[in-house]
Amino acid sequence: MIARMWEVRALGSGFDELLSWVCDEALPTIEVLPAHVSSEVYSSTDHRIVVISTWRHDPVELPAPPDRLVARSPHVWDFTPVDR
């Protein structure tokens, strides 16, 4: 299992539009893939959006968000479970 954390910061007033884009356009492109297990979306008061998706193997990138909505390019990290 691989967990992918994708984080982006919206440009000021573009937060609501960016959140809609993530939920209505970006996530549907990956949620239909066989390796995809689940996705969760989080937001913060400082205009950040985080998507945590879990994958059986080989996570797939979310599409690039519209430049006009983001303060900077998304950051992406992959995590694997730790046996303890």
Side-chain angles (χ1 to χ4, degrees), residues 22-60:
V22 167
C23 294
D24 300 337
E25 295 183 41
L27 283 176
T29 69
I30 66 166
E31 290 178 327
V32 296
L33 300 174
H36 180 265
V37 176
S38 66
S39 293
E40 296 180 29
V41 180
Y42 300 90
S43 66
S44 69
T45 57
D46 66 348
H47 298 132
R48 292 176 196 253
I49 298 169
V50 171
V51 175
I52 299 176
S53 56
T54 54
W55 299 83
R56 290 177 183 84
H57 53 79
D58 303 323
V60 174

